[in-house]
PDB file of all heavy atoms in Angstrom:
ATOM      1  N   SER A   1     166.046  47.372 165.845  1.00  0.00           N
ATOM      2  CA  SER A   1     167.183  46.648 166.363  1.00  0.00           C
ATOM      3  C   SER A   1     167.388  45.422 165.458  1.00  0.00           C
ATOM      4  O   SER A   1     166.491  44.674 165.144  1.00  0.00           O
ATOM      5  CB  SER A   1     166.845  46.145 167.784  1.00  0.00           C
ATOM      6  OG  SER A   1     167.897  45.338 168.269  1.00  0.00           O
ATOM      7  N   VAL A   2     168.614  45.298 164.971  1.00  0.00           N
ATOM      8  CA  VAL A   2     168.995  44.233 164.031  1.00  0.00           C
ATOM      9  C   VAL A   2     170.207  43.455 164.599  1.00  0.00           C
ATOM     10  O   VAL A   2     171.153  44.108 165.048  1.00  0.00           O
ATOM     11  CB  VAL A   2     169.352  44.780 162.616  1.00  0.00           C
ATOM     12  CG1 VAL A   2     169.621  43.624 161.674  1.00  0.00           C
ATOM     13  CG2 VAL A   2     168.201  45.659 162.098  1.00  0.00           C
ATOM     14  N   THR A   3     170.138  42.111 164.598  1.00  0.00           N
ATOM     15  CA  THR A   3     171.290  41.336 164.930  1.00  0.00           C
ATOM     16  C   THR A   3     171.704  40.533 163.727  1.00  0.00           C
ATOM     17  O   THR A   3     170.951  40.384 162.796  1.00  0.00           O
ATOM     18  CB  THR A   3     170.994  40.382 166.130  1.00  0.00           C
ATOM     19  OG1 THR A   3     170.001  39.464 165.731  1.00  0.00           O
ATOM     20  CG2 THR A   3     170.588  41.146 167.371  1.00  0.00           C
ATOM     21  N   GLY A   4     172.919  40.028 163.761  1.00  0.00           N
ATOM     22  CA  GLY A   4     173.464  39.314 162.612  1.00  0.00           C
ATOM     23  C   GLY A   4     174.003  40.221 161.508  1.00  0.00           C
ATOM     24  O   GLY A   4     174.143  39.842 160.376  1.00  0.00           O
ATOM     25  N   VAL A   5     174.450  41.424 161.932  1.00  0.00           N
ATOM     26  CA  VAL A   5     174.958  42.423 160.991  1.00  0.00           C
ATOM     27  C   VAL A   5     176.469  42.188 160.843  1.00  0.00           C
ATOM     28  O   VAL A   5     177.207  42.086 161.826  1.00  0.00           O
ATOM     29  CB  VAL A   5     174.727  43.882 161.495  1.00  0.00           C
ATOM     30  CG1 VAL A   5     175.359  44.906 160.568  1.00  0.00           C
ATOM     31  CG2 VAL A   5     173.238  44.163 161.615  1.00  0.00           C
ATOM     32  N   ASP A   6     176.926  42.056 159.602  1.00  0.00           N
ATOM     33  CA  ASP A   6     178.366  41.846 159.318  1.00  0.00           C
ATOM     34  C   ASP A   6     179.045  43.190 158.954  1.00  0.00           C
ATOM     35  O   ASP A   6     180.172  43.406 159.279  1.00  0.00           O
ATOM     36  CB  ASP A   6     178.560  40.900 158.140  1.00  0.00           C
ATOM     37  CG  ASP A   6     178.187  39.487 158.494  1.00  0.00           C
ATOM     38  OD1 ASP A   6     178.338  39.079 159.649  1.00  0.00           O
ATOM     39  OD2 ASP A   6     177.732  38.753 157.575  1.00  0.00           O
ATOM     40  N   GLU A   7     178.307  44.094 158.261  1.00  0.00           N
ATOM     41  CA  GLU A   7     178.911  45.334 157.821  1.00  0.00           C
ATOM     42  C   GLU A   7     177.863  46.345 157.434  1.00  0.00           C
ATOM     43  O   GLU A   7     176.798  45.984 156.907  1.00  0.00           O
ATOM     44  CB  GLU A   7     179.813  45.042 156.588  1.00  0.00           C
ATOM     45  CG  GLU A   7     180.485  46.179 155.960  1.00  0.00           C
ATOM     46  CD  GLU A   7     181.283  45.802 154.715  1.00  0.00           C
ATOM     47  OE1 GLU A   7     181.195  44.660 154.268  1.00  0.00           O
ATOM     48  OE2 GLU A   7     182.008  46.677 154.255  1.00  0.00           O
ATOM     49  N   VAL A   8     178.128  47.612 157.719  1.00  0.00           N
ATOM     50  CA  VAL A   8     177.227  48.730 157.245  1.00  0.00           C
ATOM     51  C   VAL A   8     177.899  49.193 155.974  1.00  0.00           C
ATOM     52  O   VAL A   8     179.035  49.673 155.954  1.00  0.00           O
ATOM     53  CB  VAL A   8     177.051  49.815 158.269  1.00  0.00           C
ATOM     54  CG1 VAL A   8     176.314  50.981 157.691  1.00  0.00           C
ATOM     55  CG2 VAL A   8     176.380  49.320 159.544  1.00  0.00           C
ATOM     56  N   LEU A   9     177.178  49.119 154.875  1.00  0.00           N
ATOM     57  CA  LEU A   9     177.695  49.453 153.575  1.00  0.00           C
ATOM     58  C   LEU A   9     177.599  50.964 153.287  1.00  0.00           C
ATOM     59  O   LEU A   9     178.550  51.565 152.748  1.00  0.00           O
ATOM     60  CB  LEU A   9     177.055  48.676 152.466  1.00  0.00           C
ATOM     61  CG  LEU A   9     177.155  47.152 152.604  1.00  0.00           C
ATOM     62  CD1 LEU A   9     176.327  46.458 151.557  1.00  0.00           C
ATOM     63  CD2 LEU A   9     178.618  46.706 152.495  1.00  0.00           C
ATOM     64  N   CYS A  10     176.500  51.594 153.651  1.00  0.00           N
ATOM     65  CA  CYS A  10     176.315  53.057 153.486  1.00  0.00           C
ATOM     66  C   CYS A  10     175.154  53.501 154.374  1.00  0.00           C
ATOM     67  O   CYS A  10     174.270  52.697 154.701  1.00  0.00           O
ATOM     68  CB  CYS A  10     176.160  53.459 152.050  1.00  0.00           C
ATOM     69  SG  CYS A  10     174.637  52.843 151.281  1.00  0.00           S
ATOM     70  N   PHE A  11     175.190  54.768 154.706  1.00  0.00           N
ATOM     71  CA  PHE A  11     174.051  55.277 155.496  1.00  0.00           C
ATOM     72  C   PHE A  11     173.943  56.795 155.350  1.00  0.00           C
ATOM     73  O   PHE A  11     174.955  57.464 155.126  1.00  0.00           O
ATOM     74  CB  PHE A  11     174.166  54.901 156.987  1.00  0.00           C
ATOM     75  CG  PHE A  11     175.364  55.522 157.688  1.00  0.00           C
ATOM     76  CD1 PHE A  11     175.221  56.700 158.378  1.00  0.00           C
ATOM     77  CD2 PHE A  11     176.561  54.859 157.666  1.00  0.00           C
ATOM     78  CE1 PHE A  11     176.297  57.261 159.049  1.00  0.00           C
ATOM     79  CE2 PHE A  11     177.664  55.422 158.301  1.00  0.00           C
ATOM     80  CZ  PHE A  11     177.528  56.633 159.001  1.00  0.00           C
ATOM     81  N   ASP A  12     172.713  57.278 155.428  1.00  0.00           N
ATOM     82  CA  ASP A  12     172.455  58.721 155.580  1.00  0.00           C
ATOM     83  C   ASP A  12     171.137  58.845 156.303  1.00  0.00           C
ATOM     84  O   ASP A  12     170.610  57.840 156.837  1.00  0.00           O
ATOM     85  CB  ASP A  12     172.455  59.432 154.245  1.00  0.00           C
ATOM     86  CG  ASP A  12     171.492  58.880 153.209  1.00  0.00           C
ATOM     87  OD1 ASP A  12     170.398  58.366 153.613  1.00  0.00           O
ATOM     88  OD2 ASP A  12     171.741  58.978 152.024  1.00  0.00           O
ATOM     89  N   GLU A  13     170.530  59.976 156.357  1.00  0.00           N
ATOM     90  CA  GLU A  13     169.278  60.183 157.129  1.00  0.00           C
ATOM     91  C   GLU A  13     168.104  59.514 156.509  1.00  0.00           C
ATOM     92  O   GLU A  13     167.066  59.354 157.186  1.00  0.00           O
ATOM     93  CB  GLU A  13     169.022  61.679 157.288  1.00  0.00           C
ATOM     94  CG  GLU A  13     169.978  62.383 158.189  1.00  0.00           C
ATOM     95  CD  GLU A  13     169.594  63.821 158.455  1.00  0.00           C
ATOM     96  OE1 GLU A  13     168.705  64.319 157.722  1.00  0.00           O
ATOM     97  OE2 GLU A  13     170.134  64.427 159.372  1.00  0.00           O
ATOM     98  N   ASP A  14     168.171  59.119 155.261  1.00  0.00           N
ATOM     99  CA  ASP A  14     167.041  58.512 154.534  1.00  0.00           C
ATOM    100  C   ASP A  14     167.218  57.023 154.220  1.00  0.00           C
ATOM    101  O   ASP A  14     166.228  56.365 153.897  1.00  0.00           O
ATOM    102  CB  ASP A  14     166.815  59.247 153.217  1.00  0.00           C
ATOM    103  CG  ASP A  14     166.474  60.711 153.453  1.00  0.00           C
ATOM    104  OD1 ASP A  14     165.775  61.008 154.401  1.00  0.00           O
ATOM    105  OD2 ASP A  14     166.993  61.539 152.683  1.00  0.00           O
ATOM    106  N   ARG A  15     168.452  56.522 154.371  1.00  0.00           N
ATOM    107  CA  ARG A  15     168.666  55.098 153.988  1.00  0.00           C
ATOM    108  C   ARG A  15     169.890  54.525 154.665  1.00  0.00           C
ATOM    109  O   ARG A  15     170.896  55.204 154.773  1.00  0.00           O
ATOM    110  CB  ARG A  15     168.853  55.076 152.485  1.00  0.00           C
ATOM    111  CG  ARG A  15     168.970  53.662 151.892  1.00  0.00           C
ATOM    112  CD  ARG A  15     168.978  53.716 150.403  1.00  0.00           C
ATOM    113  NE  ARG A  15     170.225  54.299 149.926  1.00  0.00           N
ATOM    114  CZ  ARG A  15     171.113  53.637 149.171  1.00  0.00           C
ATOM    115  NH1 ARG A  15     170.836  52.409 148.784  1.00  0.00           N
ATOM    116  NH2 ARG A  15     172.214  54.201 148.797  1.00  0.00           N
ATOM    117  N   ILE A  16     169.748  53.295 155.130  1.00  0.00           N
ATOM    118  CA  ILE A  16     170.891  52.575 155.701  1.00  0.00           C
ATOM    119  C   ILE A  16     170.937  51.225 154.987  1.00  0.00           C
ATOM    120  O   ILE A  16     169.940  50.523 154.877  1.00  0.00           O
ATOM    121  CB  ILE A  16     170.746  52.347 157.216  1.00  0.00           C
ATOM    122  CG1 ILE A  16     170.659  53.693 157.941  1.00  0.00           C
ATOM    123  CG2 ILE A  16     171.880  51.490 157.750  1.00  0.00           C
ATOM    124  CD1 ILE A  16     170.291  53.572 159.418  1.00  0.00           C
ATOM    125  N   VAL A  17     172.094  50.859 154.444  1.00  0.00           N
ATOM    126  CA  VAL A  17     172.276  49.575 153.796  1.00  0.00           C
ATOM    127  C   VAL A  17     173.304  48.797 154.572  1.00  0.00           C
ATOM    128  O   VAL A  17     174.422  49.300 154.867  1.00  0.00           O
ATOM    129  CB  VAL A  17     172.721  49.783 152.323  1.00  0.00           C
ATOM    130  CG1 VAL A  17     172.901  48.412 151.633  1.00  0.00           C
ATOM    131  CG2 VAL A  17     171.746  50.643 151.542  1.00  0.00           C
ATOM    132  N   MET A  18     172.984  47.544 154.917  1.00  0.00           N
ATOM    133  CA  MET A  18     173.865  46.730 155.676  1.00  0.00           C
ATOM    134  C   MET A  18     173.919  45.301 155.158  1.00  0.00           C
ATOM    135  O   MET A  18     172.956  44.827 154.531  1.00  0.00           O
ATOM    136  CB  MET A  18     173.455  46.680 157.182  1.00  0.00           C
ATOM    137  CG  MET A  18     172.098  46.032 157.425  1.00  0.00           C
ATOM    138  SD  MET A  18     171.477  46.328 159.060  1.00  0.00           S
ATOM    139  CE  MET A  18     170.598  47.878 158.781  1.00  0.00           C
ATOM    140  N   ARG A  19     175.054  44.628 155.344  1.00  0.00           N
ATOM    141  CA  ARG A  19     175.165  43.196 154.984  1.00  0.00           C
ATOM    142  C   ARG A  19     174.941  42.423 156.227  1.00  0.00           C
ATOM    143  O   ARG A  19     175.552  42.657 157.293  1.00  0.00           O
ATOM    144  CB  ARG A  19     176.539  42.936 154.444  1.00  0.00           C
ATOM    145  CG  ARG A  19     176.686  41.488 153.970  1.00  0.00           C
ATOM    146  CD  ARG A  19     178.023  41.186 153.317  1.00  0.00           C
ATOM    147  NE  ARG A  19     178.312  42.076 152.203  1.00  0.00           N
ATOM    148  CZ  ARG A  19     179.380  42.861 152.103  1.00  0.00           C
ATOM    149  NH1 ARG A  19     180.242  42.858 153.040  1.00  0.00           N
ATOM    150  NH2 ARG A  19     179.544  43.624 151.028  1.00  0.00           N
ATOM    151  N   THR A  20     173.927  41.468 156.173  1.00  0.00           N
ATOM    152  CA  THR A  20     173.648  40.637 157.348  1.00  0.00           C
ATOM    153  C   THR A  20     173.948  39.177 156.972  1.00  0.00           C
ATOM    154  O   THR A  20     174.221  38.902 155.784  1.00  0.00           O
ATOM    155  CB  THR A  20     172.167  40.752 157.756  1.00  0.00           C
ATOM    156  OG1 THR A  20     171.336  40.045 156.773  1.00  0.00           O
ATOM    157  CG2 THR A  20     171.705  42.210 157.863  1.00  0.00           C
ATOM    158  N   VAL A  21     173.784  38.313 157.899  1.00  0.00           N
ATOM    159  CA  VAL A  21     174.040  36.898 157.611  1.00  0.00           C
ATOM    160  C   VAL A  21     172.962  36.307 156.733  1.00  0.00           C
ATOM    161  O   VAL A  21     173.119  35.243 156.167  1.00  0.00           O
ATOM    162  CB  VAL A  21     174.162  36.075 158.940  1.00  0.00           C
ATOM    163  CG1 VAL A  21     175.369  36.521 159.711  1.00  0.00           C
ATOM    164  CG2 VAL A  21     172.878  36.184 159.776  1.00  0.00           C
ATOM    165  N   LYS A  22     171.850  37.023 156.515  1.00  0.00           N
ATOM    166  CA  LYS A  22     170.775  36.563 155.647  1.00  0.00           C
ATOM    167  C   LYS A  22     170.627  37.397 154.373  1.00  0.00           C
ATOM    168  O   LYS A  22     169.600  37.250 153.681  1.00  0.00           O
ATOM    169  CB  LYS A  22     169.412  36.583 156.435  1.00  0.00           C
ATOM    170  CG  LYS A  22     169.409  35.612 157.601  1.00  0.00           C
ATOM    171  CD  LYS A  22     169.466  34.196 157.155  1.00  0.00           C
ATOM    172  CE  LYS A  22     169.333  33.276 158.360  1.00  0.00           C
ATOM    173  NZ  LYS A  22     169.441  31.875 157.938  1.00  0.00           N
ATOM    174  N   GLY A  23     171.547  38.216 154.061  1.00  0.00           N
ATOM    175  CA  GLY A  23     171.487  38.987 152.843  1.00  0.00           C
ATOM    176  C   GLY A  23     171.646  40.456 153.153  1.00  0.00           C
ATOM    177  O   GLY A  23     171.779  40.904 154.276  1.00  0.00           O
ATOM    178  N   GLU A  24     171.640  41.264 152.085  1.00  0.00           N
ATOM    179  CA  GLU A  24     171.764  42.736 152.187  1.00  0.00           C
ATOM    180  C   GLU A  24     170.425  43.336 152.577  1.00  0.00           C
ATOM    181  O   GLU A  24     169.420  43.092 151.929  1.00  0.00           O
ATOM    182  CB  GLU A  24     172.249  43.304 150.859  1.00  0.00           C
ATOM    183  CG  GLU A  24     172.629  44.712 150.944  1.00  0.00           C
ATOM    184  CD  GLU A  24     173.243  45.209 149.610  1.00  0.00           C
ATOM    185  OE1 GLU A  24     174.363  44.788 149.336  1.00  0.00           O
ATOM    186  OE2 GLU A  24     172.557  45.940 148.954  1.00  0.00           O
ATOM    187  N   LEU A  25     170.382  44.073 153.661  1.00  0.00           N
ATOM    188  CA  LEU A  25     169.190  44.662 154.208  1.00  0.00           C
ATOM    189  C   LEU A  25     169.252  46.199 154.022  1.00  0.00           C
ATOM    190  O   LEU A  25     170.244  46.794 154.369  1.00  0.00           O
ATOM    191  CB  LEU A  25     169.002  44.318 155.700  1.00  0.00           C
ATOM    192  CG  LEU A  25     167.876  44.971 156.410  1.00  0.00           C
ATOM    193  CD1 LEU A  25     166.545  44.577 155.846  1.00  0.00           C
ATOM    194  CD2 LEU A  25     167.934  44.631 157.879  1.00  0.00           C
ATOM    195  N   THR A  26     168.182  46.746 153.451  1.00  0.00           N
ATOM    196  CA  THR A  26     168.061  48.187 153.270  1.00  0.00           C
ATOM    197  C   THR A  26     166.919  48.699 154.121  1.00  0.00           C
ATOM    198  O   THR A  26     165.844  48.159 154.091  1.00  0.00           O
ATOM    199  CB  THR A  26     167.821  48.575 151.781  1.00  0.00           C
ATOM    200  OG1 THR A  26     168.910  48.076 150.982  1.00  0.00           O
ATOM    201  CG2 THR A  26     167.736  50.058 151.601  1.00  0.00           C
ATOM    202  N   VAL A  27     167.231  49.749 154.924  1.00  0.00           N
ATOM    203  CA  VAL A  27     166.262  50.394 155.759  1.00  0.00           C
ATOM    204  C   VAL A  27     166.034  51.771 155.144  1.00  0.00           C
ATOM    205  O   VAL A  27     166.981  52.528 154.948  1.00  0.00           O
ATOM    206  CB  VAL A  27     166.747  50.499 157.189  1.00  0.00           C
ATOM    207  CG1 VAL A  27     165.712  51.225 158.072  1.00  0.00           C
ATOM    208  CG2 VAL A  27     167.109  49.180 157.790  1.00  0.00           C
ATOM    209  N   VAL A  28     164.804  52.122 154.872  1.00  0.00           N
ATOM    210  CA  VAL A  28     164.447  53.439 154.300  1.00  0.00           C
ATOM    211  C   VAL A  28     163.534  54.141 155.297  1.00  0.00           C
ATOM    212  O   VAL A  28     162.664  53.526 155.926  1.00  0.00           O
ATOM    213  CB  VAL A  28     163.724  53.286 152.938  1.00  0.00           C
ATOM    214  CG1 VAL A  28     163.305  54.634 152.378  1.00  0.00           C
ATOM    215  CG2 VAL A  28     164.581  52.509 151.967  1.00  0.00           C
ATOM    216  N   GLY A  29     163.743  55.469 155.419  1.00  0.00           N
ATOM    217  CA  GLY A  29     162.911  56.219 156.334  1.00  0.00           C
ATOM    218  C   GLY A  29     163.303  57.717 156.333  1.00  0.00           C
ATOM    219  O   GLY A  29     163.880  58.187 155.367  1.00  0.00           O
ATOM    220  N   GLU A  30     163.011  58.350 157.464  1.00  0.00           N
ATOM    221  CA  GLU A  30     163.298  59.796 157.606  1.00  0.00           C
ATOM    222  C   GLU A  30     164.015  59.992 158.947  1.00  0.00           C
ATOM    223  O   GLU A  30     163.651  59.394 159.964  1.00  0.00           O
ATOM    224  CB  GLU A  30     162.026  60.598 157.587  1.00  0.00           C
ATOM    225  CG  GLU A  30     161.269  60.546 156.291  1.00  0.00           C
ATOM    226  CD  GLU A  30     159.905  61.256 156.381  1.00  0.00           C
ATOM    227  OE1 GLU A  30     159.681  61.953 157.374  1.00  0.00           O
ATOM    228  OE2 GLU A  30     159.078  61.094 155.456  1.00  0.00           O
ATOM    229  N   GLY A  31     165.034  60.843 158.948  1.00  0.00           N
ATOM    230  CA  GLY A  31     165.744  61.167 160.195  1.00  0.00           C
ATOM    231  C   GLY A  31     166.430  59.961 160.792  1.00  0.00           C
ATOM    232  O   GLY A  31     166.490  59.855 162.067  1.00  0.00           O
ATOM    233  N   LEU A  32     166.877  59.057 160.006  1.00  0.00           N
ATOM    234  CA  LEU A  32     167.520  57.800 160.535  1.00  0.00           C
ATOM    235  C   LEU A  32     168.893  58.129 161.037  1.00  0.00           C
ATOM    236  O   LEU A  32     169.703  58.846 160.414  1.00  0.00           O
ATOM    237  CB  LEU A  32     167.609  56.756 159.434  1.00  0.00           C
ATOM    238  CG  LEU A  32     166.300  56.344 158.782  1.00  0.00           C
ATOM    239  CD1 LEU A  32     166.592  55.301 157.647  1.00  0.00           C
ATOM    240  CD2 LEU A  32     165.401  55.691 159.812  1.00  0.00           C
ATOM    241  N   HIS A  33     169.225  57.586 162.172  1.00  0.00           N
ATOM    242  CA  HIS A  33     170.589  57.606 162.690  1.00  0.00           C
ATOM    243  C   HIS A  33     170.890  56.374 163.490  1.00  0.00           C
ATOM    244  O   HIS A  33     170.024  55.768 164.104  1.00  0.00           O
ATOM    245  CB  HIS A  33     170.909  58.917 163.469  1.00  0.00           C
ATOM    246  CG  HIS A  33     170.179  59.019 164.791  1.00  0.00           C
ATOM    247  ND1 HIS A  33     168.894  59.475 164.918  1.00  0.00           N
ATOM    248  CD2 HIS A  33     170.574  58.705 166.062  1.00  0.00           C
ATOM    249  CE1 HIS A  33     168.517  59.460 166.184  1.00  0.00           C
ATOM    250  NE2 HIS A  33     169.536  58.962 166.884  1.00  0.00           N
ATOM    251  N   ILE A  34     172.154  55.974 163.417  1.00  0.00           N
ATOM    252  CA  ILE A  34     172.591  54.760 164.060  1.00  0.00           C
ATOM    253  C   ILE A  34     172.957  55.108 165.496  1.00  0.00           C
ATOM    254  O   ILE A  34     173.872  55.908 165.757  1.00  0.00           O
ATOM    255  CB  ILE A  34     173.798  54.141 163.319  1.00  0.00           C
ATOM    256  CG1 ILE A  34     173.373  53.716 161.900  1.00  0.00           C
ATOM    257  CG2 ILE A  34     174.408  52.948 164.110  1.00  0.00           C
ATOM    258  CD1 ILE A  34     174.529  53.285 161.027  1.00  0.00           C
ATOM    259  N   GLY A  35     172.200  54.525 166.414  1.00  0.00           N
ATOM    260  CA  GLY A  35     172.453  54.786 167.852  1.00  0.00           C
ATOM    261  C   GLY A  35     173.475  53.879 168.424  1.00  0.00           C
ATOM    262  O   GLY A  35     174.242  54.254 169.307  1.00  0.00           O
ATOM    263  N   LYS A  36     173.580  52.601 167.941  1.00  0.00           N
ATOM    264  CA  LYS A  36     174.522  51.634 168.444  1.00  0.00           C
ATOM    265  C   LYS A  36     174.922  50.758 167.262  1.00  0.00           C
ATOM    266  O   LYS A  36     174.152  50.322 166.467  1.00  0.00           O
ATOM    267  CB  LYS A  36     173.892  50.762 169.506  1.00  0.00           C
ATOM    268  CG  LYS A  36     174.787  49.652 170.023  1.00  0.00           C
ATOM    269  CD  LYS A  36     174.078  48.777 171.002  1.00  0.00           C
ATOM    270  CE  LYS A  36     174.925  47.643 171.445  1.00  0.00           C
ATOM    271  NZ  LYS A  36     174.177  46.706 172.302  1.00  0.00           N
ATOM    272  N   LEU A  37     176.225  50.474 167.192  1.00  0.00           N
ATOM    273  CA  LEU A  37     176.769  49.594 166.183  1.00  0.00           C
ATOM    274  C   LEU A  37     177.912  48.813 166.766  1.00  0.00           C
ATOM    275  O   LEU A  37     178.846  49.395 167.310  1.00  0.00           O
ATOM    276  CB  LEU A  37     177.248  50.332 164.952  1.00  0.00           C
ATOM    277  CG  LEU A  37     177.979  49.490 163.878  1.00  0.00           C
ATOM    278  CD1 LEU A  37     177.093  48.405 163.324  1.00  0.00           C
ATOM    279  CD2 LEU A  37     178.555  50.353 162.799  1.00  0.00           C
ATOM    280  N   SER A  38     177.753  47.472 166.807  1.00  0.00           N
ATOM    281  CA  SER A  38     178.842  46.596 167.334  1.00  0.00           C
ATOM    282  C   SER A  38     178.982  45.459 166.330  1.00  0.00           C
ATOM    283  O   SER A  38     178.192  44.562 166.273  1.00  0.00           O
ATOM    284  CB  SER A  38     178.496  46.064 168.740  1.00  0.00           C
ATOM    285  OG  SER A  38     179.495  45.151 169.092  1.00  0.00           O
ATOM    286  N   LEU A  39     180.028  45.531 165.492  1.00  0.00           N
ATOM    287  CA  LEU A  39     180.273  44.483 164.559  1.00  0.00           C
ATOM    288  C   LEU A  39     180.792  43.203 165.224  1.00  0.00           C
ATOM    289  O   LEU A  39     180.678  42.110 164.673  1.00  0.00           O
ATOM    290  CB  LEU A  39     181.224  44.970 163.438  1.00  0.00           C
ATOM    291  CG  LEU A  39     180.649  46.094 162.563  1.00  0.00           C
ATOM    292  CD1 LEU A  39     181.654  46.539 161.541  1.00  0.00           C
ATOM    293  CD2 LEU A  39     179.364  45.671 161.915  1.00  0.00           C
ATOM    294  N   ASP A  40     181.405  43.362 166.398  1.00  0.00           N
ATOM    295  CA  ASP A  40     181.863  42.194 167.150  1.00  0.00           C
ATOM    296  C   ASP A  40     180.705  41.302 167.518  1.00  0.00           C
ATOM    297  O   ASP A  40     180.786  40.068 167.394  1.00  0.00           O
ATOM    298  CB  ASP A  40     182.609  42.612 168.413  1.00  0.00           C
ATOM    299  CG  ASP A  40     183.921  43.302 168.109  1.00  0.00           C
ATOM    300  OD1 ASP A  40     184.466  43.017 167.033  1.00  0.00           O
ATOM    301  OD2 ASP A  40     184.376  44.092 168.958  1.00  0.00           O
ATOM    302  N   THR A  41     179.598  41.898 167.952  1.00  0.00           N
ATOM    303  CA  THR A  41     178.413  41.104 168.308  1.00  0.00           C
ATOM    304  C   THR A  41     177.380  41.035 167.236  1.00  0.00           C
ATOM    305  O   THR A  41     176.404  40.310 167.293  1.00  0.00           O
ATOM    306  CB  THR A  41     177.763  41.642 169.598  1.00  0.00           C
ATOM    307  OG1 THR A  41     177.347  42.999 169.329  1.00  0.00           O
ATOM    308  CG2 THR A  41     178.738  41.605 170.789  1.00  0.00           C
TER     309      THR A  41
END
């Protein structure tokens, strides 16, 4: 769970890259999927 997300730049099952208020965050793994995304919050 991540808060402070401004934008999701790219994603697939192995990698998600997002822009947060503290910099660009990359999540690496296997079988990744976004269950919830709210850019308003």
